[in-house]
Amino acid sequence: RNMAELFHKEETPQYFMLDAQNYDNGDQQLEALTKSATIYVGNLSFFSKESQIYETFARVGPVKRLIMGLNRETKTPCGFCFVEYFIQDHAHAALKYISDTVCDERIIRCDADPGFIHGRQFGRGKSGGQVRDEWTTNYDPGRGRLVPPEAISGRKRERDDD
């Protein structure tokens, strides 16, 4: 066996979440994903500057475009972005080398993305930001604040006790 087989063997299938707002079915989204040079970047600080993110992702190849995720209501950054490269190999390199690294004092998460479509830059939560921020019970200085309780009133989240 060579070293690559030891470290890069996929033992479980990779799953993705169907984006029903922009694709009619999973096959259509998978087709777009196989041709895309775009990645989704999550867990960014609300205070990260485009220049910081650009500098981080340009390390693996020229960045064609960077689209900051914005709160739908306030139009302020809400912790995610899309990075579009000119070629797919650079997007794959970002997934391999930049995902799970630190950008602006936060461990960022990168996922392959089927390509930016206008409107996806806005958060989908009730408060206009990301849904995940509406479930948080802890103050996260990098996220800037807790979501106001009135944005999620009446919602309960069940958790396992273990």
Side-chain angles (χ1 to χ4, degrees):
R1 294 185 119 174
N2 65 34
M3 290 298 280
E5 288 177 5
L6 294 174
F7 293 101
H8 299 289
K9 184 178 179 184
E10 293 290 333
E11 295 193 18
T12 57
Q14 298 297 307
Y15 298 98
F16 70 93
M17 200 157 164
L18 177 62
D19 180 358
Q21 291 181 354
N22 296 298
Y23 297 96
D24 294 330
N25 58 55
D27 290 338
Q28 186 184 46
Q29 186 175 345
L30 272 175
E31 177 71 20
L33 192 60
T34 61
K35 298 176 181 177
S36 177
T38 303
I39 61 171
Y40 167 89
V41 182
N43 202 39
L44 291 169
S45 167
F46 284 16
F47 308 105
S48 293
K49 303 276 188 242
E50 284 186 45
S51 58
Q52 293 169 293
I53 299 165
Y54 186 91
E55 181 180 328
T56 299
F57 285 90
R59 293 174 188 259
V60 295
V63 172
K64 180 177 182 180
R65 181 168 67 152
L66 182 109
I67 301 105
M68 294 295 290
L70 301 174
N71 180 299
R72 186 180 60 252
E73 305 299 326
T74 64
K75 307 300 186 263
T76 57
C78 65
F80 71 96
C81 74
F82 298 92
V83 178
E84 186 178 326
Y85 288 95
F86 288 96
I87 63 171
Q88 200 174 41
D89 286 346
H90 293 146
H92 292 168
L95 295 172
K96 184 175 181 179
Y97 297 113
I98 299 178
S99 189
D100 297 322
T101 63
V102 176
C103 178
D104 202 17
E105 300 181 11
R106 297 187 64 81
I107 297 173
I108 56 174
R109 186 189 81 244
C110 302
D111 294 309
D113 190 83
F116 177 74
I117 297 171
H118 182 73
R120 289 187 63 213
Q121 74 268 34
F122 300 115
R124 297 180 181 179
K126 284 188 175 187
S127 67
Q130 290 191 59
V131 173
R132 68 172 272 205
D133 291 319
E134 295 179 355
W135 293 111
T136 189
T137 57
N138 299 321
Y139 178 76
D140 182 345
R143 302 298 275 187
R145 65 191 184 295
L146 285 173
V147 173
E150 63 272 11
I152 57 172
S153 62
R155 293 174 67 185
K156 294 181 181 177
R157 184 176 189 186
E158 294 181 22
R159 294 182 179 247
D160 295 332
D161 289 334
D162 25 312

